[in-house]
Amino acid sequence: MTTSITNAERREGMRGFLSRRGPGGARRRESLDDLSERSIVSASERRRPGTRFGMTVTHVFLSVSLVIAGLGPILWLAKSAITPTQDTIQQPFALWPNGVDWANLSTAWNDIHIDQYFFNTIVIAAGAWFTQLFIATTAGYALSVLRPKYAPVLNALVLATLFIPGIVLLVPLYLTIVSPPLLGRDASMLNNYLAVWLPMAANAFNILLVKRFFDSLPREVFEAAKTDGAGPFRLFWSIVLPMSKPILGVVSVFAIIAAWKDYLWPMLVLPNPAVQPLSVRLPAVASQTELDVFLAALAIATLIPIAMFLLFQSVFLRSAGLGGAVKG
């Protein structure tokens, strides 16, 4: 029978051994404690007033810098969205020197038809999220859990696509959308949201990311489920997906943010302004819109990415997803 000894037990035994070695054992035991908790700045150095002051100043400086760099532009945009144009131009960092203009938001929503473009963007982002999540999870499941004989070849092919610049694929993809294979020349997908969803679905980075996470899941759970009679679909739906909530949240954020900010491809395959998203329409109307109304429209366009961050921030910080497994 083998006995597993943890690091804590090993250190405790070493401390006991050193304490029986005579007067110098206490000093050696303290050195061992410092060694087990060693970092860039040791505990003894932290107790020095000069070191504590320097670390405090550094922490405050880094925290303030991160807040300014991360939240500064967003807060300035929120302020400028309800500020008259002249105040934004003359005093860009002043807090409403001549009052707040709430009408900018309603003007941007109604006159520029932000509501329509906002809805179009939500439809595009939702479709891109579903297709990317579906392809990434099923492909990752096949490569990591099912593992057919040709899985290494497929994995190498998926990895190879990461080395192809996206601009190289632009023309072939566009020609495929204009004249889809096997559907004839009259079956063009221009001005159809499928033209945006389908190219986004096969995302090699998401597939490899999900596969890597699936590789870390315990195989004993899969074997137990198969022993109980679970088939491939039941194993995927009832075991793998509930255990993979953290990576599903990460892929969801990547997919929605990428679809929300994409400009070039939607502009090419959605030439009709009635179906274009915010990322395409806002630059088109910028020259014909007052600055305060345009900034209000930009502020409205940032609501979904901010909401996505607030919704999924706990998913990014969660390190384990095994608590979601369910009995099948």
Side-chain angles (χ1 to χ4, degrees):
M1 183 177 65
T2 59
T3 304
S4 59
I5 303 176
T6 63
N7 292 333
E9 293 172 344
R10 190 177 293 109
R11 288 196 299 269
E12 196 64 33
M14 182 63 70
R15 293 190 190 98
F17 173 75
L18 293 176
S19 63
R20 295 190 294 269
R21 297 271 303 178
R27 289 193 299 271
R28 285 193 292 269
R29 187 168 63 251
E30 292 177 359
S31 300
L32 184 61
D33 292 337
D34 291 342
L35 183 63
S36 63
E37 300 177 357
R38 176 171 294 179
S39 60
I40 297 178
V41 181
S42 65
S44 59
E45 291 176 336
R46 287 196 187 96
R47 288 192 288 268
R48 298 175 183 174
T51 304
R52 286 204 308 269
F53 177 77
M55 293 182 63
T56 302
V57 172
T58 303
H59 290 165
V60 171
F61 173 77
L62 292 177
S63 300
V64 172
S65 300
L66 289 175
V67 170
I68 293 176
L71 292 179
I74 298 176
L75 296 177
W76 184 88
L77 180 62
K79 187 269 299 183
S80 301
I82 52 177
T83 302
T85 300
Q86 293 300 323
D87 292 346
T88 302
I89 295 176
Q90 295 175 1
Q91 299 175 319
F93 296 104
L95 289 177
W96 307 294
N98 294 314
V100 177
D101 189 2
W102 294 101
N104 293 342
L105 298 175
S106 59
T107 303
W109 187 263
N110 298 317
D111 295 355
I112 308 181
H113 304 292
I114 292 297
D115 53 347
Q116 177 184 353
Y117 307 138
F118 198 85
F119 176 76
N120 295 342
T121 310
I122 292 178
V123 172
I124 292 175
W129 165 78
F130 176 78
T131 54
Q132 289 191 45
L133 203 63
F134 178 77
I135 297 298
T137 52
T138 52
Y141 175 71
L143 295 174
S144 176
V145 181
L146 299 182
R147 292 183 179 177
K149 293 182 179 180
Y150 49 85
V153 178
L154 290 179
N155 190 38
L157 292 176
V158 172
L159 182 62
T161 60
L162 293 176
F163 297 92
I164 303 176
I167 196 68
V168 175
L169 302 175
L170 198 62
V171 173
L173 281 177
Y174 182 78
L175 295 178
T176 304
I177 294 300
V178 172
S179 181
L182 306 178
L183 298 180
R185 294 185 177 181
D186 297 333
S188 174
M189 288 193 293
L190 290 179
N191 293 319
N192 191 322
Y193 289 136
L194 288 174
V196 180
W197 296 338
L198 295 180
M200 286 185 173
N203 190 305
F205 176 77
N206 288 340
I207 293 174
L208 295 176
L209 191 66
V210 173
K211 176 191 176 298
R212 184 74 174 180
F213 185 87
F214 287 174
D215 289 340
S216 65
L217 297 179
R219 301 292 156 175
E220 296 81 5
V221 178
F222 302 157
E223 296 300 329
K226 292 178 182 178
T227 303
D228 292 340
F233 177 78
R234 186 63 182 276
L235 179 64
F236 173 72
W237 184 259
S238 300
I239 304 298
V240 175
L241 286 185
M243 296 172 68
S244 306
K245 290 180 180 179
I247 197 63
L248 298 182
V250 171
V251 173
S252 298
V253 173
F254 287 166
I256 293 177
I257 296 302
W260 196 267
K261 68 180 184 179
D262 193 14
Y263 169 77
L264 181 58
W265 185 248
M267 182 188 66
L268 292 176
V269 298
L270 300 175
N272 185 4
V275 296
Q276 289 178 344
L278 285 168
S279 59
V280 177
R281 289 308 302 163
L282 287 180
V285 302
S287 60
Q288 308 168 4
T289 309
E290 287 289 336
L291 179 61
D292 53 355
V293 177
F294 181 71
L295 292 176
L298 290 178
I300 295 174
T302 60
L303 292 179
I304 292 297
I306 294 175
M308 287 296 299
F309 168 75
L310 296 177
L311 183 63
F312 286 99
Q313 61 174 335
S314 60
V315 176
F316 280 107
L317 300 177
R318 193 181 308 156
S319 59
L322 303 182
V326 296
K327 274 188 168 183

